[in-house]
Amino acid sequence: MAERTIEKLLERLRRLPPQTTLTLAQLRAQYERAQVVFPLTGEVTLQVLDTGPVRGEWLLPAGASDAVVLYLHGGGYVIGSPRSHRHLAADIALAAGARTFTLDYRLAPEHPFPAALDDAVAAYRWLIESQRAKPGCIVLAGDSAGGGLVLTTLVALRDAGLPLPAAGVCISPWTDLSCSLPACDPQRPSHDPLIDHAVLRAMAHATMGRRSLRDPRVSPLFADLRGLPPLLVQVAGGEALVDDARQLAIAASEAGVHTTLEVWPRMVHVWHWYARMLDEGQRAIERVAQFMHGALRQRAAADPS
């Protein structure tokens, strides 16, 4: 059996071609290979919705509860899809025993801001209006850009006066598209091979064009976070977005939001993605499931209807 250690994973990751040598099409294709490298197991049923106002994939574990996870994939708003994150969403669905819908939101630069946010809000409305999911049984979760999108979606739902979900889960969230925090400084040594600072900034500009990269509707670090449901924020200690997560947790806590921050040493950006080959990835997913169960129980106790 292959070793399931971070050292072995880093060896594999360092053999990948540098992101700066790849075109956008190549970056997207590289991400899509995950559906082949990490195929679904028979424990989860896949249902693809590729027509209609909301597109994405349902991942349905046997014996799932009434809980629903709305999963927002990462990829800098420019790459990624339900297919690239199918295995990660399935692992979360299995661990939580919850139906999980991974949204196929529109990507930049073809569809710049606010396309992804509009799609996420529409998907939540669709869940409660067409799929009859109770808000108190829904958890929003996402990684990287998707983790930031979880937060901006929660703020948009609050501002629209919609009933909020039970919780939000942000995995290595990108919360400041201006990349102004110390860990995003390209001169600062990074132990994480997964984020290239130049590519990260290019993705931000592809998403926002001439708009401000500090617009709180895309950079939730600068948003009013009052009134949001409980948050779990997980981040790797040495990654470029560690300060995005830390500062977000501080801002949310100061806004009165119950926030749990977990900084995992020695891991890489969204290490959960590698749970099939990394023990810490599986443990982090199990921690996500524990948090979800606690938040759902708390919401049910507060709103038994």
Side-chain angles (χ1 to χ4, degrees):
M1 180 181 293
E3 289 187 67
R4 294 172 51 84
T5 65
I6 189 63
E7 289 78 16
K8 289 295 181 181
L9 176 59
L10 287 170
E11 285 180 17
R12 295 184 59 154
L13 294 176
R14 287 169 180 145
R15 292 198 294 266
L16 295 174
Q19 293 178 347
T20 51
T21 67
L22 301 177
T23 66
L24 176 57
Q26 289 170 328
L27 284 170
R28 288 175 172 173
Q30 183 186 66
Y31 230 19
E32 294 290 294
R33 289 187 63 247
Q35 63 187 305
V36 177
V37 177
F38 303 116
L40 281 185
T41 68
E43 299 173 281
V44 175
T45 300
L46 171 67
Q47 292 182 1
V48 178
L49 298 182
D50 54 8
T51 60
V54 176
R55 302 186 180 195
E57 295 184 351
W58 278 109
L59 295 157
L60 308 171
S65 68
D66 292 336
V68 175
V69 178
L70 174 56
Y71 196 84
L72 306 174
H73 68 80
Y77 298 105
V78 171
I79 63 177
S81 73
R83 296 169 298 283
S84 65
H85 284 65
R86 182 181 291 162
H87 66 291
L88 173 52
D91 288 348
I92 291 173
L94 274 172
R99 297 177 293 153
T100 298
F101 184 76
T102 307
L103 177 63
D104 194 3
Y105 61 82
R106 291 169 292 167
L107 299 178
E110 298 90 340
H111 303 283
F113 173 84
L117 177 59
D118 289 346
D119 290 352
V121 171
Y124 183 80
R125 287 183 177 271
W126 171 76
L127 284 175
I128 62 177
E129 295 171 2
S130 298
Q131 303 298 299
R132 299 184 179 180
K134 295 180 180 179
C137 292
I138 299 175
V139 173
L140 265 60
D143 65 279
S144 197
L149 186 56
V150 164
L151 295 159
T152 55
T153 301
L154 290 173
V155 171
L157 296 175
R158 179 203 65 195
D159 291 349
L162 291 170
L164 295 178
V169 174
C170 306
I171 299 170
S172 296
W174 192 16
T175 65
D176 174 17
L177 266 66
S178 70
C179 301
S180 64
L181 298 172
C184 268
D185 185 344
Q187 303 304 317
R188 177 170 171 169
S190 174
H191 304 291
D192 188 341
L194 289 172
I195 293 184
D196 182 280
H197 291 90
V199 172
L200 191 67
R201 285 168 168 75
M203 288 177 167
H205 288 287
T207 301
M208 297 303 288
R210 295 185 178 182
R211 293 176 180 264
S212 171
L213 298 176
R214 294 196 174 201
D215 189 318
R217 295 171 297 169
V218 74
S219 291
L221 183 60
F222 309 108
D224 175 3
L225 303 175
R226 289 175 294 179
L228 299 192
L231 300 174
L232 172 65
V233 182
Q234 293 181 320
V235 69
E239 67 166 289
L241 299 184
V242 63
D243 288 342
D244 284 60
R246 284 176 169 147
Q247 293 303 311
L248 179 278
I250 292 171
S253 296
E254 290 178 347
V257 179
H258 181 76
T259 305
T260 301
L261 172 66
E262 296 182 355
V263 181
W264 289 58
R266 300 178 60 245
M267 292 298 104
V268 295
H269 181 64
V270 193
W271 67 102
H272 314 54
W273 208 73
Y274 303 97
R276 309 286 177 90
M277 59 177 67
L278 181 66
D279 289 336
E280 290 90 345
Q282 184 58 43
R283 286 200 291 270
I285 288 173
E286 290 168 359
R287 177 70 190 103
V288 167
Q290 289 175 347
F291 171 81
M292 288 183 181
H293 291 155
L296 290 165
R297 286 195 301 269
Q298 185 176 21
R299 181 64 172 267
D303 183 17
S305 62

